[in-house]
Amino acid sequence: MAAVLVTRRFRLSMEVVLKTLTVAACYYVAGRLGLLGRLTVEGVIVTPIWPPTGLAVAALLVFGVSVWPGIAIGSFLVIASLATPQPATFITVAGNTIAPLCAYLMLRAVGFRLGISRVRDGLALVFLGGLGAMLISATAGVGPQVVTGGLATGEFWSVWLAWWVGDAMGVLLITPLLLVLAGAAGPLKLRRWKEMLCLGLVSVIVVPVAVLGELSLLFLVFPLLIWAALRFQLAGSMLCALFASVLTTFEANTQHGAFLHLSAIEVMTKLQAFNGATALTALLLSAMVAEQRATRRSVQSACRELAEVLEHLAAGESPPELSAGDATGLRTADTASGAHRDQGK
């Protein structure tokens, strides 16, 4: 028996080690990809979208808190690939590790569902996982540079804001997609593959026209996001939002199209506003649609069960016992009918 326990513990330990190393490797690859779209603000390299933060939050949500060393290792490797590590590097690594951990703990505390099937889940990911927790990584990344004299005090806020928004966009754009790929949002349904193909073709045509054209037609992206969210929920809307944001980021680097004749600060401001609006629209609208569909299914199930009960009563038979899920559905239907009566008054 003792040998079995030792073997089981060894397997669990090896599983954690493998997951940690996988997270570290993926973090490093995501960091290198994110650096392809880097911008320079006040002489400091920042990224409008920093994918590793989204990957780190998703890894903690899926695998648990035990994989946090992988985040630290990956963060250190990314920084070491850019410059020789300094004492301030370890502060930045600590911030990059603590921020996703805080996001994970806060999301768990409010009952976050991995499928993001409720509006409250979307709001929690935006304000707790993205905007709230990433305050830590931005401060830990920019603060040491001011202390060591690498960055002037007057330049702190512009660099800090760019760093913070980049980390937050990583969470808002990358984390939902990774949760979908992990199966947290349920299996992908390909019944509407023709419509899916049509949406993909329209996106490939419209998004480059909106981004690359000199008329600044970025608003054309939002009807596509609404279409994707209404028909394909999280998977479709977030994939469309990521495609638009990545293409816009690379166009901002060249300062062509919608970013022609803009200063570096104006480019960063316009890009961050577009990426933020895109991510919020896709995430919250898809969560709202998923919640409404779940409510409708619950009410329909309750109505079917209620009809069966009435049929048994009309025949003089004892009604079948309801399961816990059926009883919940009936309560949902009663609540909905009560709300309609209140509105009628």
Side-chain angles (χ1 to χ4, degrees), residues 121-211:
D121 298 326
L123 293 174
L125 186 63
V126 171
F127 292 103
L128 297 180
L131 301 180
M134 296 307 124
L135 295 171
I136 300 173
S137 58
T139 304
V142 182
Q145 299 187 44
V146 176
V147 174
T148 58
L151 185 68
T153 305
E155 300 171 345
F156 172 82
W157 288 111
S158 58
V159 177
W160 181 91
L161 180 62
W163 193 306
W164 173 57
V165 173
D167 285 358
M169 288 301 102
V171 175
L172 300 187
L173 289 171
I174 303 300
T175 299
L177 274 179
L178 292 179
L179 293 178
V180 170
L181 293 177
L188 295 177
K189 299 178 181 179
L190 302 179
R191 294 194 306 269
R192 301 172 180 165
W193 65 270
K194 294 182 180 180
E195 183 180 359
M196 189 182 303
L197 180 61
C198 181
L199 174 61
L201 292 175
V202 173
S203 300
V204 170
I205 296 173
V206 172
V207 173
V209 170
V211 174

Side-chain angles (χ1 to χ4, degrees), residues 90-102:
F90 296 97
I91 300 178
T92 304
V93 170
N96 291 340
T97 306
I98 295 173
L101 280 171
C102 288

Side-chain angles (χ1 to χ4, degrees), residues 76-304:
F76 178 82
L77 293 177
V78 171
I79 298 175
S81 68
L82 296 175
T84 303
Q86 304 291 333
T89 300
F90 296 97
I91 300 178
T92 304
V93 170
N96 291 340
T97 306
I98 295 173
L101 280 171
C102 288
Y104 166 77
L105 294 175
M106 288 190 292
L107 291 175
R108 287 289 301 272
V110 298
F112 176 79
R113 294 181 182 176
L114 300 185
I116 315 181
S117 57
R118 302 172 299 177
V119 176
R120 60 178 293 185
D121 298 326
L123 293 174
L125 186 63
V126 171
F127 292 103
L128 297 180
L131 301 180
M134 296 307 124
L135 295 171
I136 300 173
S137 58
T139 304
V142 182
Q145 299 187 44
V146 176
V147 174
T148 58
L151 185 68
T153 305
E155 300 171 345
F156 172 82
W157 288 111
S158 58
V159 177
W160 181 91
L161 180 62
W163 193 306
W164 173 57
V165 173
D167 285 358
M169 288 301 102
V171 175
L172 300 187
L173 289 171
I174 303 300
T175 299
L177 274 179
L178 292 179
L179 293 178
V180 170
L181 293 177
L188 295 177
K189 299 178 181 179
L190 302 179
R191 294 194 306 269
R192 301 172 180 165
W193 65 270
K194 294 182 180 180
E195 183 180 359
M196 189 182 303
L197 180 61
C198 181
L199 174 61
L201 292 175
V202 173
S203 300
V204 170
I205 296 173
V206 172
V207 173
V209 170
V211 174
L212 304 180
E214 298 182 2
L215 297 178
S216 188
L217 301 176
L218 296 177
F219 57 85
L220 292 178
V221 173
F222 292 95
L224 296 177
L225 295 178
I226 296 173
W227 179 9
L230 292 177
R231 302 296 287 173
F232 304 105
Q233 285 78 60
L234 198 64
S237 64
M238 296 311 304
L239 190 60
C240 185
L242 182 62
F243 172 62
S245 297
V246 169
L247 187 60
T248 306
T249 298
F250 280 105
E251 186 63 16
N253 286 330
T254 61
Q255 294 190 354
H256 291 100
F259 300 91
L260 188 64
H261 304 310
L262 297 180
S263 65
I265 298 298
E266 290 173 338
V267 168
M268 179 60 71
T269 302
K270 186 173 185 177
L271 179 61
Q272 289 173 338
F274 174 77
N275 287 343
T278 300
L280 287 174
T281 300
L283 182 60
L284 296 182
L285 184 58
S286 60
M288 184 180 301
V289 172
E291 185 176 34
Q292 290 180 345
R293 290 192 174 188
T295 301
R296 185 173 68 248
R297 288 193 297 267
S298 179
V299 172
Q300 289 174 345
S301 177
C303 290
R304 287 193 297 268

